[in-house]
Amino acid sequence: MTIYDVAHEAGVSVATVSRVLNNTAPVSPKTKQKIMTVIEKYQFQRNALARSLKKKETRTLGIILPDITNPFFPEVFSGIELEARENDYTLFLCDTMGEYERETQYLYMLRERQVDGIVFLGGRINLSKVEQNLAEELQTFAQRVPTVLVNGSIPGNPIHRVCVDEGAGTEQAVRHLLALGHTDIAFIGGLEYMTTTMQKIRAFKKVFREHGLTVRKEWILYDDFSLNAGKRQMKKLLHMSHKPTAVLCVNDYTAVGAIQEAGRRGYSIPNDISIIGFDDVPLATAILPEVTTVSQKTELLGRTAISILHKLIQKEKVKKLTVIEPELIIRESTAQL
Amino acid sequence: MTIYDVAHEAGVSVATVSRVLNNTAPVSPKTKQKIMTVIEKYQFQRNALARSLKKKETRTLGIILPDITNPFFPEVFSGIELEARENDYTLFLCDTMGEYERETQYLYMLRERQVDGIVFLGGRINLSKVEQNLAEELQTFAQRVPTVLVNGSIPGNPIHRVCVDEGAGTEQAVRHLLALGHTDIAFIGGLEYMTTTMQKIRAFKKVFREHGLTVRKEWILYDDFSLNAGKRQMKKLLHMSHKPTAVLCVNDYTAVGAIQEAGRRGYSIPNDISIIGFDDVPLATAILPEVTTVSQKTELLGRTAISILHKLIQKEKVKKLTVIEPELIIRESTAQL
DNA sequence: GTGAAAGCGCTAACAT
DNA sequence: ATGTTAGCGCTTTCAC
């Protein structure tokens, strides 16, 4: 059923039907009524494809992320969805499952589908050294379709982005530990070549330096971002002759893994060791002790990304970088030395 | 840039360009080459809107689910994505956040967008008594666009569905507990009017009946599906004069909540109380003790849903109901009485 | 092997 | 207030 069928059945022209559908010009109550009756009778729904083709706007957005299974992403997706809904966008969700090549594929696919904009999380924009061609590709893309990066960047920062200040968050965490009397602090997890990891370690070192302390190189343990990373590296730490009294983790997932491993080996958290996470995903309050962590304000992060993207789409002026201040959430996994 | 521009630049007709783009008819190597050159030079990408409008197929699917923040759903979404990708579908993700009204909105929206099919998880199809009009709406919808329901149904089962046999899974769990010597078993969580809850309780009772046991009414504790539900109801249980020695939880989330609460009150799991979850989300292995649970085989579930949907779309014959057998995963939260 | 042209369902400029 | 009509960018039939 098309707009023509409706027009015919109601004895009017397609233009008039279009007018009542879009409320785009005055139509007499009578004809309007006639048309509405037909629409309801046949449950007519217009074809968004045709509409978008003509209007050159799809009201659709692409979200590219590396792993929906990692609890951080559903949380920010939730914020994205909320804000998108308010602005009447529908979302394509593209999970690259950590493969950079797939990012490229999705980028092309989304352009073919004429999305009004995209938001890009994780993946290549988290690499401290982005391959030249990956960066260029994304930049070229961003010139053609409005794009915002979340918690990441590419060299030269040519693309709009919204970021949590992970350095500031880490500083808060370290200061908290210091205030509790800890100076033997280790850092667990995160791939060395990702900015999330680097920023945190940099901030960690900075605070130490300010306090005239130095961080022990053997206590900086790189790994991936998984639960098992936390377990593995905690185990390593616990085998050392000189053990830290507190450990900072790259995210809540690894923190939980670390806590589990410590518990399994008979250590009591936080009495024997203080542990601190990052992100504040629901998992952080699921375990005993509940994890002290740094909130990324995930919902706000998602909402902000869309609100910026929306402005970009309307060609409003927006500043290139929006920073979100994280917040230390003190719970049960940290204690006085 | 359109196909016309390409045609013009290459000195051929649009038909020919279309032919090489779609490989839909033989084109001489020479002209093909000319066209490819132009395409690469200008980075031409075709407009999927126009294409879909003409072909009456969009290669898009709508996924409607109640809460992407609940770890069960990202897991099945992952399976969905995997299978969708293999069949070249792109996904609209619609999170209703538990609001039935929003399901309706998304249903309409997806039809306007001409999706080739939808998969529907949770929400109204999980209600043991679906409101008449909600059921009808969905049924009418399913007649017009291929639809598959995951872990749910509506009266009369007119729509294709794929379900995990939650009853069978629960039976395995109860038998496991029985085998460990437990007969004082409680059940925690789940809204009373949802099928996920009902099916489990029914199976629970059935196994008890078979063994000549009866379940204590005061040990069946309804609540929602959250972590806090687990905490709340475990607390209640622990305040009773006669306490169960084992508890069955409606999902892993509540199981973890229950474990946390028990631990907080000084009970040792599984020594004092055995606890068993359902779903087998990653959370289940994140805590100490790792939780014994029933795997829903989430990835398989997602993949199956799409593979059925795909067949439906191609108008292949598919059986109305596909059942997936769950599997008991014995870990650390259950022990001999 | 290639081209001309109709048409997918809609919007919007122009006419009445 | 309403109708006519020209596209939007593509696929596909029908000619040649």
PDB file of all heavy atoms in Angstrom, chain A residues 169 172-173 176 249-253 255 275-285 290-296 326-334:
ATOM      1  N   GLY A 169      40.794  10.948  36.573  1.00  0.00           N
ATOM      2  CA  GLY A 169      40.173   9.893  37.364  1.00  0.00           C
ATOM      3  C   GLY A 169      41.224   9.058  38.079  1.00  0.00           C
ATOM      4  O   GLY A 169      41.091   8.735  39.266  1.00  0.00           O
ATOM      5  N   GLN A 172      42.700  10.868  41.024  1.00  0.00           N
ATOM      6  CA  GLN A 172      41.843  10.767  42.206  1.00  0.00           C
ATOM      7  C   GLN A 172      42.044   9.433  42.903  1.00  0.00           C
ATOM      8  O   GLN A 172      42.143   9.357  44.128  1.00  0.00           O
ATOM      9  CB  GLN A 172      40.369  10.895  41.805  1.00  0.00           C
ATOM     10  CG  GLN A 172      39.936  12.275  41.385  1.00  0.00           C
ATOM     11  CD  GLN A 172      38.445  12.295  41.055  1.00  0.00           C
ATOM     12  OE1 GLN A 172      37.615  11.921  41.870  1.00  0.00           O
ATOM     13  NE2 GLN A 172      38.106  12.705  39.847  1.00  0.00           N
ATOM     14  N   ALA A 173      42.100   8.396  42.102  1.00  0.00           N
ATOM     15  CA  ALA A 173      42.250   7.058  42.668  1.00  0.00           C
ATOM     16  C   ALA A 173      43.563   6.925  43.425  1.00  0.00           C
ATOM     17  O   ALA A 173      43.598   6.433  44.555  1.00  0.00           O
ATOM     18  CB  ALA A 173      42.155   6.025  41.546  1.00  0.00           C
ATOM     19  N   HIS A 176      43.589   8.864  46.619  1.00  0.00           N
ATOM     20  CA  HIS A 176      42.791   8.153  47.621  1.00  0.00           C
ATOM     21  C   HIS A 176      43.646   7.092  48.304  1.00  0.00           C
ATOM     22  O   HIS A 176      43.689   6.987  49.539  1.00  0.00           O
ATOM     23  CB  HIS A 176      41.588   7.519  46.919  1.00  0.00           C
ATOM     24  CG  HIS A 176      40.821   6.530  47.745  1.00  0.00           C
ATOM     25  ND1 HIS A 176      40.225   6.849  48.953  1.00  0.00           N
ATOM     26  CD2 HIS A 176      40.546   5.214  47.535  1.00  0.00           C
ATOM     27  CE1 HIS A 176      39.605   5.783  49.441  1.00  0.00           C
ATOM     28  NE2 HIS A 176      39.796   4.772  48.606  1.00  0.00           N
ATOM     29  N   CYS A 249      43.593  -1.009  39.034  1.00  0.00           N
ATOM     30  CA  CYS A 249      43.323  -1.835  37.858  1.00  0.00           C
ATOM     31  C   CYS A 249      42.794  -0.985  36.713  1.00  0.00           C
ATOM     32  O   CYS A 249      42.145   0.033  36.930  1.00  0.00           O
ATOM     33  CB  CYS A 249      42.315  -2.917  38.189  1.00  0.00           C
ATOM     34  SG  CYS A 249      42.943  -4.074  39.413  1.00  0.00           S
ATOM     35  N   VAL A 250      43.047  -1.445  35.522  1.00  0.00           N
ATOM     36  CA  VAL A 250      42.695  -0.663  34.341  1.00  0.00           C
ATOM     37  C   VAL A 250      41.189  -0.538  34.168  1.00  0.00           C
ATOM     38  O   VAL A 250      40.705   0.439  33.605  1.00  0.00           O
ATOM     39  CB  VAL A 250      43.357  -1.250  33.082  1.00  0.00           C
ATOM     40  CG1 VAL A 250      42.677  -2.538  32.656  1.00  0.00           C
ATOM     41  CG2 VAL A 250      43.365  -0.238  31.949  1.00  0.00           C
ATOM     42  N   ASN A 251      40.463  -1.528  34.662  1.00  0.00           N
ATOM     43  CA  ASN A 251      38.998  -1.411  34.659  1.00  0.00           C
ATOM     44  C   ASN A 251      38.393  -2.333  35.728  1.00  0.00           C
ATOM     45  O   ASN A 251      39.116  -3.073  36.401  1.00  0.00           O
ATOM     46  CB  ASN A 251      38.418  -1.706  33.271  1.00  0.00           C
ATOM     47  CG  ASN A 251      38.645  -3.140  32.840  1.00  0.00           C
ATOM     48  OD1 ASN A 251      38.849  -4.031  33.651  1.00  0.00           O
ATOM     49  ND2 ASN A 251      38.607  -3.355  31.541  1.00  0.00           N
ATOM     50  N   ASP A 252      37.088  -2.269  35.876  1.00  0.00           N
ATOM     51  CA  ASP A 252      36.441  -3.043  36.933  1.00  0.00           C
ATOM     52  C   ASP A 252      36.558  -4.537  36.689  1.00  0.00           C
ATOM     53  O   ASP A 252      36.638  -5.332  37.622  1.00  0.00           O
ATOM     54  CB  ASP A 252      34.959  -2.663  37.029  1.00  0.00           C
ATOM     55  CG  ASP A 252      34.770  -1.272  37.570  1.00  0.00           C
ATOM     56  OD1 ASP A 252      35.688  -0.768  38.240  1.00  0.00           O
ATOM     57  OD2 ASP A 252      33.700  -0.680  37.323  1.00  0.00           O
ATOM     58  N   TYR A 253      36.537  -4.884  35.432  1.00  0.00           N
ATOM     59  CA  TYR A 253      36.622  -6.286  35.075  1.00  0.00           C
ATOM     60  C   TYR A 253      37.904  -6.917  35.613  1.00  0.00           C
ATOM     61  O   TYR A 253      37.881  -7.951  36.276  1.00  0.00           O
ATOM     62  CB  TYR A 253      36.588  -6.396  33.551  1.00  0.00           C
ATOM     63  CG  TYR A 253      35.607  -7.408  33.038  1.00  0.00           C
ATOM     64  CD1 TYR A 253      34.672  -8.008  33.862  1.00  0.00           C
ATOM     65  CD2 TYR A 253      35.608  -7.760  31.688  1.00  0.00           C
ATOM     66  CE1 TYR A 253      33.777  -8.931  33.374  1.00  0.00           C
ATOM     67  CE2 TYR A 253      34.718  -8.679  31.188  1.00  0.00           C
ATOM     68  CZ  TYR A 253      33.800  -9.268  32.041  1.00  0.00           C
ATOM     69  OH  TYR A 253      32.917 -10.173  31.542  1.00  0.00           O
ATOM     70  N   ALA A 255      39.758  -5.651  37.898  1.00  0.00           N
ATOM     71  CA  ALA A 255      39.772  -5.501  39.358  1.00  0.00           C
ATOM     72  C   ALA A 255      39.062  -6.688  39.998  1.00  0.00           C
ATOM     73  O   ALA A 255      39.536  -7.263  40.984  1.00  0.00           O
ATOM     74  CB  ALA A 255      39.087  -4.197  39.753  1.00  0.00           C
ATOM     75  N   ILE A 275      42.227  -2.718  46.574  1.00  0.00           N
ATOM     76  CA  ILE A 275      42.122  -2.818  45.118  1.00  0.00           C
ATOM     77  C   ILE A 275      41.130  -1.787  44.610  1.00  0.00           C
ATOM     78  O   ILE A 275      40.080  -1.561  45.206  1.00  0.00           O
ATOM     79  CB  ILE A 275      41.697  -4.238  44.695  1.00  0.00           C
ATOM     80  CG1 ILE A 275      42.822  -5.228  45.046  1.00  0.00           C
ATOM     81  CG2 ILE A 275      41.381  -4.285  43.197  1.00  0.00           C
ATOM     82  CD1 ILE A 275      42.544  -6.650  44.673  1.00  0.00           C
ATOM     83  N   ILE A 276      41.473  -1.194  43.481  1.00  0.00           N
ATOM     84  CA  ILE A 276      40.621  -0.146  42.943  1.00  0.00           C
ATOM     85  C   ILE A 276      40.427  -0.364  41.446  1.00  0.00           C
ATOM     86  O   ILE A 276      41.359  -0.744  40.738  1.00  0.00           O
ATOM     87  CB  ILE A 276      41.267   1.227  43.294  1.00  0.00           C
ATOM     88  CG1 ILE A 276      40.295   2.374  43.148  1.00  0.00           C
ATOM     89  CG2 ILE A 276      42.494   1.482  42.469  1.00  0.00           C
ATOM     90  CD1 ILE A 276      40.798   3.605  43.899  1.00  0.00           C
ATOM     91  N   GLY A 277      39.209  -0.184  41.002  1.00  0.00           N
ATOM     92  CA  GLY A 277      38.892  -0.435  39.593  1.00  0.00           C
ATOM     93  C   GLY A 277      38.714   0.848  38.800  1.00  0.00           C
ATOM     94  O   GLY A 277      39.145   1.924  39.213  1.00  0.00           O
ATOM     95  N   PHE A 278      38.063   0.730  37.659  1.00  0.00           N
ATOM     96  CA  PHE A 278      37.789   1.898  36.822  1.00  0.00           C
ATOM     97  C   PHE A 278      36.582   1.588  35.952  1.00  0.00           C
ATOM     98  O   PHE A 278      36.465   0.480  35.432  1.00  0.00           O
ATOM     99  CB  PHE A 278      38.999   2.207  35.924  1.00  0.00           C
ATOM    100  CG  PHE A 278      39.119   3.674  35.573  1.00  0.00           C
ATOM    101  CD1 PHE A 278      40.037   4.484  36.238  1.00  0.00           C
ATOM    102  CD2 PHE A 278      38.307   4.236  34.594  1.00  0.00           C
ATOM    103  CE1 PHE A 278      40.146   5.842  35.920  1.00  0.00           C
ATOM    104  CE2 PHE A 278      38.407   5.589  34.272  1.00  0.00           C
ATOM    105  CZ  PHE A 278      39.335   6.395  34.941  1.00  0.00           C
ATOM    106  N   ASP A 279      35.710   2.552  35.796  1.00  0.00           N
ATOM    107  CA  ASP A 279      34.509   2.478  34.940  1.00  0.00           C
ATOM    108  C   ASP A 279      33.217   2.607  35.742  1.00  0.00           C
ATOM    109  O   ASP A 279      32.314   3.319  35.363  1.00  0.00           O
ATOM    110  CB  ASP A 279      34.397   1.165  34.144  1.00  0.00           C
ATOM    111  CG  ASP A 279      35.380   1.083  32.995  1.00  0.00           C
ATOM    112  OD1 ASP A 279      36.137   2.048  32.802  1.00  0.00           O
ATOM    113  OD2 ASP A 279      35.407   0.045  32.315  1.00  0.00           O
ATOM    114  N   ASP A 280      33.168   1.838  36.854  1.00  0.00           N
ATOM    115  CA  ASP A 280      31.923   1.721  37.621  1.00  0.00           C
ATOM    116  C   ASP A 280      30.803   1.090  36.816  1.00  0.00           C
ATOM    117  O   ASP A 280      29.756   1.695  36.594  1.00  0.00           O
ATOM    118  CB  ASP A 280      31.465   3.059  38.185  1.00  0.00           C
ATOM    119  CG  ASP A 280      30.379   2.855  39.239  1.00  0.00           C
ATOM    120  OD1 ASP A 280      30.363   1.792  39.879  1.00  0.00           O
ATOM    121  OD2 ASP A 280      29.523   3.745  39.391  1.00  0.00           O
ATOM    122  N   VAL A 281      31.036  -0.125  36.385  1.00  0.00           N
ATOM    123  CA  VAL A 281      29.957  -0.917  35.775  1.00  0.00           C
ATOM    124  C   VAL A 281      29.224  -1.652  36.900  1.00  0.00           C
ATOM    125  O   VAL A 281      29.731  -1.731  38.016  1.00  0.00           O
ATOM    126  CB  VAL A 281      30.514  -1.904  34.729  1.00  0.00           C
ATOM    127  CG1 VAL A 281      31.069  -1.151  33.538  1.00  0.00           C
ATOM    128  CG2 VAL A 281      31.561  -2.820  35.318  1.00  0.00           C
ATOM    129  N   PRO A 282      28.038  -2.166  36.634  1.00  0.00           N
ATOM    130  CA  PRO A 282      27.239  -2.813  37.682  1.00  0.00           C
ATOM    131  C   PRO A 282      27.991  -3.932  38.399  1.00  0.00           C
ATOM    132  O   PRO A 282      27.798  -4.177  39.584  1.00  0.00           O
ATOM    133  CB  PRO A 282      26.049  -3.384  36.908  1.00  0.00           C
ATOM    134  CG  PRO A 282      25.910  -2.511  35.721  1.00  0.00           C
ATOM    135  CD  PRO A 282      27.312  -2.110  35.352  1.00  0.00           C
ATOM    136  N   LEU A 283      28.860  -4.593  37.656  1.00  0.00           N
ATOM    137  CA  LEU A 283      29.684  -5.641  38.234  1.00  0.00           C
ATOM    138  C   LEU A 283      30.383  -5.183  39.515  1.00  0.00           C
ATOM    139  O   LEU A 283      30.580  -5.977  40.444  1.00  0.00           O
ATOM    140  CB  LEU A 283      30.733  -6.048  37.186  1.00  0.00           C
ATOM    141  CG  LEU A 283      31.803  -7.055  37.573  1.00  0.00           C
ATOM    142  CD1 LEU A 283      31.165  -8.374  37.940  1.00  0.00           C
ATOM    143  CD2 LEU A 283      32.788  -7.244  36.432  1.00  0.00           C
ATOM    144  N   ALA A 284      30.728  -3.921  39.569  1.00  0.00           N
ATOM    145  CA  ALA A 284      31.495  -3.403  40.698  1.00  0.00           C
ATOM    146  C   ALA A 284      30.758  -3.534  42.019  1.00  0.00           C
ATOM    147  O   ALA A 284      31.373  -3.666  43.071  1.00  0.00           O
ATOM    148  CB  ALA A 284      31.872  -1.942  40.453  1.00  0.00           C
ATOM    149  N   THR A 285      29.442  -3.533  41.967  1.00  0.00           N
ATOM    150  CA  THR A 285      28.686  -3.675  43.214  1.00  0.00           C
ATOM    151  C   THR A 285      28.153  -5.093  43.380  1.00  0.00           C
ATOM    152  O   THR A 285      27.412  -5.384  44.310  1.00  0.00           O
ATOM    153  CB  THR A 285      27.494  -2.698  43.259  1.00  0.00           C
ATOM    154  OG1 THR A 285      26.675  -2.939  42.117  1.00  0.00           O
ATOM    155  CG2 THR A 285      27.972  -1.263  43.248  1.00  0.00           C
ATOM    156  N   GLU A 290      32.413  -4.800  47.639  1.00  0.00           N
ATOM    157  CA  GLU A 290      32.062  -3.978  46.489  1.00  0.00           C
ATOM    158  C   GLU A 290      33.281  -3.132  46.126  1.00  0.00           C
ATOM    159  O   GLU A 290      34.032  -2.706  47.003  1.00  0.00           O
ATOM    160  CB  GLU A 290      30.850  -3.102  46.817  1.00  0.00           C
ATOM    161  CG  GLU A 290      29.624  -3.956  47.121  1.00  0.00           C
ATOM    162  CD  GLU A 290      28.323  -3.173  47.203  1.00  0.00           C
ATOM    163  OE1 GLU A 290      28.361  -1.941  47.065  1.00  0.00           O
ATOM    164  OE2 GLU A 290      27.272  -3.799  47.393  1.00  0.00           O
ATOM    165  N   VAL A 291      33.460  -2.927  44.848  1.00  0.00           N
ATOM    166  CA  VAL A 291      34.717  -2.354  44.374  1.00  0.00           C
ATOM    167  C   VAL A 291      34.750  -0.823  44.367  1.00  0.00           C
ATOM    168  O   VAL A 291      33.874  -0.186  43.789  1.00  0.00           O
ATOM    169  CB  VAL A 291      35.007  -2.838  42.938  1.00  0.00           C
ATOM    170  CG1 VAL A 291      36.376  -2.359  42.485  1.00  0.00           C
ATOM    171  CG2 VAL A 291      34.932  -4.348  42.861  1.00  0.00           C
ATOM    172  N   THR A 292      35.737  -0.296  45.009  1.00  0.00           N
ATOM    173  CA  THR A 292      36.030   1.132  44.900  1.00  0.00           C
ATOM    174  C   THR A 292      36.485   1.373  43.466  1.00  0.00           C
ATOM    175  O   THR A 292      37.318   0.628  42.940  1.00  0.00           O
ATOM    176  CB  THR A 292      37.157   1.533  45.860  1.00  0.00           C
ATOM    177  OG1 THR A 292      36.689   1.383  47.201  1.00  0.00           O
ATOM    178  CG2 THR A 292      37.586   2.975  45.634  1.00  0.00           C
ATOM    179  N   THR A 293      35.942   2.398  42.835  1.00  0.00           N
ATOM    180  CA  THR A 293      36.233   2.565  41.415  1.00  0.00           C
ATOM    181  C   THR A 293      36.085   4.016  40.986  1.00  0.00           C
ATOM    182  O   THR A 293      35.743   4.882  41.790  1.00  0.00           O
ATOM    183  CB  THR A 293      35.314   1.646  40.581  1.00  0.00           C
ATOM    184  OG1 THR A 293      35.724   1.644  39.228  1.00  0.00           O
ATOM    185  CG2 THR A 293      33.871   2.120  40.665  1.00  0.00           C
ATOM    186  N   VAL A 294      36.355   4.267  39.735  1.00  0.00           N
ATOM    187  CA  VAL A 294      36.205   5.610  39.192  1.00  0.00           C
ATOM    188  C   VAL A 294      35.082   5.576  38.154  1.00  0.00           C
ATOM    189  O   VAL A 294      35.165   4.849  37.178  1.00  0.00           O
ATOM    190  CB  VAL A 294      37.498   6.085  38.524  1.00  0.00           C
ATOM    191  CG1 VAL A 294      37.303   7.467  37.915  1.00  0.00           C
ATOM    192  CG2 VAL A 294      38.641   6.103  39.523  1.00  0.00           C
ATOM    193  N   SER A 295      34.045   6.332  38.403  1.00  0.00           N
ATOM    194  CA  SER A 295      32.902   6.313  37.501  1.00  0.00           C
ATOM    195  C   SER A 295      33.182   7.058  36.207  1.00  0.00           C
ATOM    196  O   SER A 295      33.681   8.172  36.219  1.00  0.00           O
ATOM    197  CB  SER A 295      31.690   6.939  38.181  1.00  0.00           C
ATOM    198  OG  SER A 295      30.681   7.161  37.215  1.00  0.00           O
ATOM    199  N   GLN A 296      32.861   6.418  35.117  1.00  0.00           N
ATOM    200  CA  GLN A 296      33.017   7.077  33.823  1.00  0.00           C
ATOM    201  C   GLN A 296      31.744   7.811  33.440  1.00  0.00           C
ATOM    202  O   GLN A 296      31.645   8.371  32.354  1.00  0.00           O
ATOM    203  CB  GLN A 296      33.312   6.034  32.736  1.00  0.00           C
ATOM    204  CG  GLN A 296      34.656   5.386  32.844  1.00  0.00           C
ATOM    205  CD  GLN A 296      35.392   5.437  31.507  1.00  0.00           C
ATOM    206  OE1 GLN A 296      35.370   6.454  30.819  1.00  0.00           O
ATOM    207  NE2 GLN A 296      36.026   4.344  31.164  1.00  0.00           N
ATOM    208  N   PRO A 326      35.380  12.386  35.502  1.00  0.00           N
ATOM    209  CA  PRO A 326      35.033  11.145  36.199  1.00  0.00           C
ATOM    210  C   PRO A 326      34.949  11.395  37.694  1.00  0.00           C
ATOM    211  O   PRO A 326      35.284  12.480  38.159  1.00  0.00           O
ATOM    212  CB  PRO A 326      36.207  10.234  35.867  1.00  0.00           C
ATOM    213  CG  PRO A 326      37.349  11.170  35.695  1.00  0.00           C
ATOM    214  CD  PRO A 326      36.783  12.424  35.115  1.00  0.00           C
ATOM    215  N   GLU A 327      34.504  10.394  38.413  1.00  0.00           N
ATOM    216  CA  GLU A 327      34.280  10.605  39.837  1.00  0.00           C
ATOM    217  C   GLU A 327      34.685   9.364  40.610  1.00  0.00           C
ATOM    218  O   GLU A 327      34.289   8.250  40.275  1.00  0.00           O
ATOM    219  CB  GLU A 327      32.790  10.896  40.038  1.00  0.00           C
ATOM    220  CG  GLU A 327      32.405  11.270  41.436  1.00  0.00           C
ATOM    221  CD  GLU A 327      30.886  11.338  41.562  1.00  0.00           C
ATOM    222  OE1 GLU A 327      30.192  11.259  40.537  1.00  0.00           O
ATOM    223  OE2 GLU A 327      30.400  11.456  42.699  1.00  0.00           O
ATOM    224  N   LEU A 328      35.465   9.567  41.640  1.00  0.00           N
ATOM    225  CA  LEU A 328      35.883   8.443  42.479  1.00  0.00           C
ATOM    226  C   LEU A 328      34.721   7.952  43.316  1.00  0.00           C
ATOM    227  O   LEU A 328      34.044   8.751  43.972  1.00  0.00           O
ATOM    228  CB  LEU A 328      37.028   8.897  43.393  1.00  0.00           C
ATOM    229  CG  LEU A 328      37.567   7.840  44.360  1.00  0.00           C
ATOM    230  CD1 LEU A 328      38.271   6.719  43.610  1.00  0.00           C
ATOM    231  CD2 LEU A 328      38.497   8.480  45.394  1.00  0.00           C
ATOM    232  N   ILE A 329      34.472   6.661  43.263  1.00  0.00           N
ATOM    233  CA  ILE A 329      33.387   6.091  44.072  1.00  0.00           C
ATOM    234  C   ILE A 329      34.021   5.166  45.102  1.00  0.00           C
ATOM    235  O   ILE A 329      34.481   4.077  44.761  1.00  0.00           O
ATOM    236  CB  ILE A 329      32.429   5.254  43.208  1.00  0.00           C
ATOM    237  CG1 ILE A 329      32.028   5.993  41.936  1.00  0.00           C
ATOM    238  CG2 ILE A 329      31.224   4.813  44.034  1.00  0.00           C
ATOM    239  CD1 ILE A 329      30.871   6.903  42.083  1.00  0.00           C
ATOM    240  N   ILE A 330      34.031   5.615  46.324  1.00  0.00           N
ATOM    241  CA  ILE A 330      34.682   4.815  47.369  1.00  0.00           C
ATOM    242  C   ILE A 330      33.725   3.771  47.919  1.00  0.00           C
ATOM    243  O   ILE A 330      32.649   4.103  48.392  1.00  0.00           O
ATOM    244  CB  ILE A 330      35.184   5.717  48.508  1.00  0.00           C
ATOM    245  CG1 ILE A 330      36.213   6.709  47.935  1.00  0.00           C
ATOM    246  CG2 ILE A 330      35.800   4.882  49.627  1.00  0.00           C
ATOM    247  CD1 ILE A 330      36.689   7.737  48.917  1.00  0.00           C
ATOM    248  N   ARG A 331      34.137   2.522  47.798  1.00  0.00           N
ATOM    249  CA  ARG A 331      33.280   1.449  48.328  1.00  0.00           C
ATOM    250  C   ARG A 331      34.069   0.597  49.318  1.00  0.00           C
ATOM    251  O   ARG A 331      34.666   1.143  50.263  1.00  0.00           O
ATOM    252  CB  ARG A 331      32.678   0.666  47.170  1.00  0.00           C
ATOM    253  CG  ARG A 331      31.606   1.517  46.467  1.00  0.00           C
ATOM    254  CD  ARG A 331      30.597   0.683  45.696  1.00  0.00           C
ATOM    255  NE  ARG A 331      31.024   0.544  44.312  1.00  0.00           N
ATOM    256  CZ  ARG A 331      30.417   1.112  43.267  1.00  0.00           C
ATOM    257  NH1 ARG A 331      29.337   1.836  43.412  1.00  0.00           N
ATOM    258  NH2 ARG A 331      30.880   0.935  42.063  1.00  0.00           N
ATOM    259  N   GLU A 332      34.123  -0.672  49.090  1.00  0.00           N
ATOM    260  CA  GLU A 332      34.677  -1.512  50.162  1.00  0.00           C
ATOM    261  C   GLU A 332      36.035  -2.146  49.887  1.00  0.00           C
ATOM    262  O   GLU A 332      36.600  -2.787  50.755  1.00  0.00           O
ATOM    263  CB  GLU A 332      33.693  -2.639  50.480  1.00  0.00           C
ATOM    264  CG  GLU A 332      32.290  -2.164  50.782  1.00  0.00           C
ATOM    265  CD  GLU A 332      31.280  -3.309  50.815  1.00  0.00           C
ATOM    266  OE1 GLU A 332      31.541  -4.364  50.207  1.00  0.00           O
ATOM    267  OE2 GLU A 332      30.229  -3.143  51.463  1.00  0.00           O
ATOM    268  N   SER A 333      36.544  -1.972  48.703  1.00  0.00           N
ATOM    269  CA  SER A 333      37.764  -2.716  48.380  1.00  0.00           C
ATOM    270  C   SER A 333      39.055  -1.954  48.678  1.00  0.00           C
ATOM    271  O   SER A 333      40.136  -2.396  48.314  1.00  0.00           O
ATOM    272  CB  SER A 333      37.736  -3.120  46.904  1.00  0.00           C
ATOM    273  OG  SER A 333      37.805  -1.978  46.095  1.00  0.00           O
ATOM    274  N   THR A 334      38.908  -0.803  49.308  1.00  0.00           N
ATOM    275  CA  THR A 334      40.097  -0.054  49.711  1.00  0.00           C
ATOM    276  C   THR A 334      39.999   0.281  51.197  1.00  0.00           C
ATOM    277  O   THR A 334      38.906   0.564  51.693  1.00  0.00           O
ATOM    278  CB  THR A 334      40.220   1.270  48.930  1.00  0.00           C
ATOM    279  OG1 THR A 334      38.965   1.948  48.941  1.00  0.00           O
ATOM    280  CG2 THR A 334      40.628   1.011  47.495  1.00  0.00           C
TER     281      THR A 334
END
